[in-house]
Amino acid sequence: MTSSFNWGLPEAASTFAPEIDFGIKLLHWAMLIIFVLWGIFFTYLLIRYRKRPGVSVEAAEGGVWKSLLPDGFILVFELALIFFYAIPVWARIKTILPKSEESNVVAVIAEQFVWNIQYPGPDKKFGRKDLKFIDSGNVLGLDPEDPDGKDDITTLNELHVPLARPTLMHLTSKDVIHSFFVPAFRVKTDIMPGLKIPLWFEPTHVGKYEITCSQLCGIGHSGMRGDVIVHTPEDFKSWLAAQAAEKKANQ
Amino acid sequence: MTTSLHHGAHQQGWIQKYVFSVDHKVIGLQYMITSMVFLLCGFAMVMLMRWQLAFPGQPIPLIGRFFADSMAPGGVMLPEFYNQLGAMHGTIMIFLGIVPLGVGAFGNYVLPLQIGAPDMAFPRMNMLSYWVYLPGGILMLLSFIMPGGAAQSGWTSYPPLSIINPGQTVWLIAMIFLITSSLLGSINFLVTVLNMRAPGMTLWRMPIFVWAQTVSAVLLLLAFPPLEAASILQLMDRVAGTSFYLPAGLIISGEALNVSGGGQPLLWQHLFWFLAHPEVYVLILPAIGIVAEIIANGTRKPLYGYKEIVGSMLFLGVMSFIVWAHHMFLSGMSPKLSNFFVVTTMIISIPSVAILTCLIWSLKGGSITFSVPMLFALAFLPMFAIGGLTGLPLGLPATDIYLHDTYYVIGHFHYVVVTGSVIALFGGVYYWFPKFFGRRMNDFWGKVHFWGTLACMNGIFFPMLIQGMAGVLRRGYDPTLQTTNLSTQHWHVFSSYSAWVLFLFQIPFIVNFFYSMFKGKLSEENPWKATTLEWACPSPPPHGNFDKPPKVYRGPYEYSPPGGKRDYLPQHIEKEELA
């Protein structure tokens, strides 16, 4: 819809956010119109056919076709929504993923009640992870012997991403079901333990946006949050370089 | 067996008559009182939660000091206690409140009367059903005082969280009781409807309420066994070291979980929603049945599209088994599966629209009386419409990406289940009260109850839709911890005040109910001048219901027949007698 009224939705900051907002606004306009027309008819009936002395009940009407009219109208509206809106948009967002080579690829490892973010580093390869390496100093369980993991960058509750390029995430959970939600990007998925869930988005504005966990994950659920920091491509490059240098210096 | 049960003129002791009764009416009233007590418990829980949501971290006033240190030390609610209240609110409202009230109470009491039967087909099984439900409910409530407290993983109990959290074992055992009770009841309802109808009561002469109960019974019968099995599997995961729902390699707070793995948490979600979606229709169908009865009676006109309503209910029943995964679009299941479930989900909305259309069309040409039951029945229509419409953006996967797990979902289903089902059930209480006790409830206080309840319910749930649009997530113990929530925090405060005022408006209802039971105005035998068979016997009906088995001569809603002297033709009276 072209209206400037946005139904209380927050700022939209990803490439597909406007598509989702379009659906939400369209549906709410439709719902409002249906409800108001229906409400007017309902109120009319209540007033017109209230019990009055001397006015008797009208003879019952036969046939059901009149009542099937709204059903048919709603059915056509819904089928149009499914095939021209819901399925195509869903496919673009959820089933068609951007190519790894063209994306900023990150791994997100959720646990009670933090977001661990892992970048592959300059070699563009993620280090091997194994349960047996997990301890307080190595929460992800990175294999210390694996050369691919030497340059990996990890952050806590901070996801740095470049502008104007898709970020492709592989989400896993160490313990229970979490759900990755960035309201401004209109992106959300549950993270099922035992599965690796892909998810992508492409930011359209530089800035800081909140990540929240939207699936009840225990007593710290409401405090499980983080931030996406969207950099310009140049800033992102220098951020990565700085992180890589720091990583090297620490070794 | 039935003969000795129904026509024995022997003296019954008090215990046999009022406690371990096999009379469907006594069991129905037992269900009614018990389920209303549970509704109040579930409501009390949410009133506490609403304090934490409106004023996070502040001590609960007045009653805060009475809570144990494991719940709310110094009156400040702990997150584990909040999560327990949340899980138990959902469980109690659905499994111990609304379903037992809609099915156990109204179904038990009214259904045999409306088909002209002396009792349910299996009176002892009926009694057993109540006596399995009650311990299940008490066990559920008692879990609060067990070590570790009550279940705290949401009413949906998603593993792995539910398997590692305390409290869940008791929840599962109590659920097995409740499911068993439900299965006993549903078999009984089906056999009763199919075998015990009075002569002349063909299927197409059954009132809508009976049809609604029949479809609900089929849903309960077919949908609950998978959840019973699923619950037993989860119980085994907790107590016997199996891992049906646990994959290998879980690390809980830095420690590897010692299980063999190989399980799949998604399996639980599929089994759970395979029950829980049909369950939504078990929550709403009896309510629709009640509304249809009241509207036909209150407009003095036959229902419009009787067969269309029945057909729609049957279609809803069938379809409700193939829409469950619309609760799981974002669960991590293959996104391609969603395409199937979005189509079935949109199709299932059509019969609901059809039912609503028929009910509103029934008003046309009528002579509408605004009695208390009629007010509730009429309010059901627009409120259920809001509930249904807000389901649209949740049913489409694309828009669900944003709205899933937000307060929008909470607003949506509370519009369906509270302003829908609960409002209709209140209407049912006012409508059949004269049948239950031979007395009327007070009209004035009924209207106070109605307007207060309707306004407050909207005051609670409409802000949730607004908050959901702003991205506020459900099940958050402290909403102020996330910056997304801050802009709409004032709506939490508004919702909370509405909830507490809603409680005040229930007081007139509770007093009216118990006062009228003993002191209310005596009612005539058929105070609403209704056509259906429950009004063809004394109020309250004696053991065995009808003096002689009634004969049925016509359909259920023959109001205002053309050329007739009176404006209603009861189902059991032959035309000659009327002349």
Side-chain angles (χ1 to χ4, degrees), chain A residues 28 49 67 78 174 188 210, chain B residues 251 308 349 404 408 484:
Chain A
H28 281 82
Y49 297 105
S67 73
E78 288 181 345
K174 282 166 72 175
K188 186 187 286 152
E210 188 169 49
Chain B
I251 316 282
E308 193 185 340
S349 67
H404 186 71
Y408 197 90
T484 309

Side-chain angles (χ1 to χ4, degrees), chain B residues 26-65:
Chain B
V26 177
I27 297 171
L29 292 179
Q30 286 175 328
Y31 262 115
M32 178 167 294
I33 305 283
T34 317
S35 58
M36 290 204 290
V37 169
F38 279 122
L39 281 178
L40 201 59
C41 291
F43 185 35
M45 287 171 195
V46 90
M47 284 194 284
L48 287 175
M49 294 167 74
R50 292 247 46 119
W51 175 264
Q52 169 66 23
L53 288 172
F55 309 107
Q58 294 181 30
I60 304 163
L62 303 173
I63 52 169
R65 73 187 99 144

